Amino acid sequence: MNAVKMNKLDAKLREMFELSKQTEAKRNQRKVQTGTGNIIRRRKGEADKRLSF
C-alpha cells in the first residue's frame, strides 16, 4: 500500500471517528422540554384527557 492511499484512508478514518463522537454527543444531550406540564383537556360529551407536554 503506498503512502498516498494510506494517508487518504487515515483521513477518512479520522473523519468517521469525529462524526461518531458528534453523533454520540447529540444522543447523550438532554432533550429540551417546553410547555407547562400536565394539562387536562375537557370537551363537551367526552371524558377528561390528561396531556403531558
Side-chain angles (χ1 to χ4, degrees):
M1 204 182 259
N2 61 12
V4 174
K5 192 170 185 178
M6 283 181 57
N7 287 341
K8 285 182 181 180
L9 288 175
D10 190 38
K12 181 71 173 175
L13 184 61
R14 276 193 231 118
E15 184 181 323
M16 289 171 68
F17 276 130
E18 187 63 32
L19 184 61
S20 175
K21 285 180 187 177
Q22 289 174 359
T23 305
E24 189 67 29
K26 278 186 178 180
R27 193 177 336 180
N28 290 337
Q29 283 181 349
R30 187 172 181 179
K31 303 264 184 197
V32 176
Q33 294 181 347
T34 59
T36 58
N38 291 330
I39 297 173
I40 299 173
R41 186 179 82 178
R42 293 190 167 108
R43 297 286 189 260
K44 187 175 181 180
E46 293 182 14
D48 293 352
K49 289 187 180 179
R50 287 194 171 269
L51 306 172
S52 62
F53 292 94

